[in-house]
């Protein structure tokens, strides 16, 4: 079990360093941000949501999903832009 923790930590460190390195190249970042957003949406719809729907029921999980999207939209609009490149001030 500790070997898995070391592997996960190493992957997280490499991903963090790659993310910091990629911020220095704006054109790559502009292409990766939409791709990563799409990846997160697809993971939510095809992996997380079906498990939640099986556990909590379809209607309750749909409500939770809509509530999460609403909270993110409110945070993006009123608190701090989630994606600074996509902020409303441009």
């Amino acid at each position: 079990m500790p070997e898995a923790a070391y592997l996960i930590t190493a992957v997280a460190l490499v991903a963090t360093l790659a993310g910091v390195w990629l911020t220095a190249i704006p054109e790559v970042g502009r292409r990766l941000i939409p791709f990563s957003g799409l990846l997160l949406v697809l993971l939510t719809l095809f992996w997380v949501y079906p498990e939640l729907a099986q556990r909590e029921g379809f209607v309750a999980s749909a409500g939770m999903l809509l509530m999460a999207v609403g909270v993110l939209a409110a945070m993006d609009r009123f608190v701090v832009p989630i994606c600074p490149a996509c902020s409303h001030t441009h």
Side-chain angles (χ1 to χ4, degrees):
M1 189 61 95
E3 295 85 17
Y6 292 135
L7 178 64
I8 291 170
T9 303
V11 168
L13 285 172
V14 168
T16 301
L17 292 174
V20 169
W21 177 71
L22 287 174
T23 58
I25 309 169
E27 56 209 35
V28 173
R30 278 190 223 114
R31 293 175 198 250
L32 285 179
I33 288 173
F35 175 74
S36 62
L38 176 66
L39 183 64
L40 286 174
V41 168
L42 291 175
L43 282 171
T44 301
L45 289 177
F46 293 111
W47 186 20
V48 176
Y49 182 70
E51 288 187 22
L52 185 63
Q54 185 179 20
R55 188 175 137 206
E56 299 294 329
F58 179 76
V59 175
S61 57
M64 288 181 215
L65 181 65
L66 289 175
M67 191 168 50
V69 169
V71 167
L72 283 175
M75 283 179 56
D76 182 48
R77 185 75 166 167
F78 301 114
V79 180
V80 64
I82 294 172
C83 172
C86 309
S87 70
H88 303 287
T89 60
H90 280 78

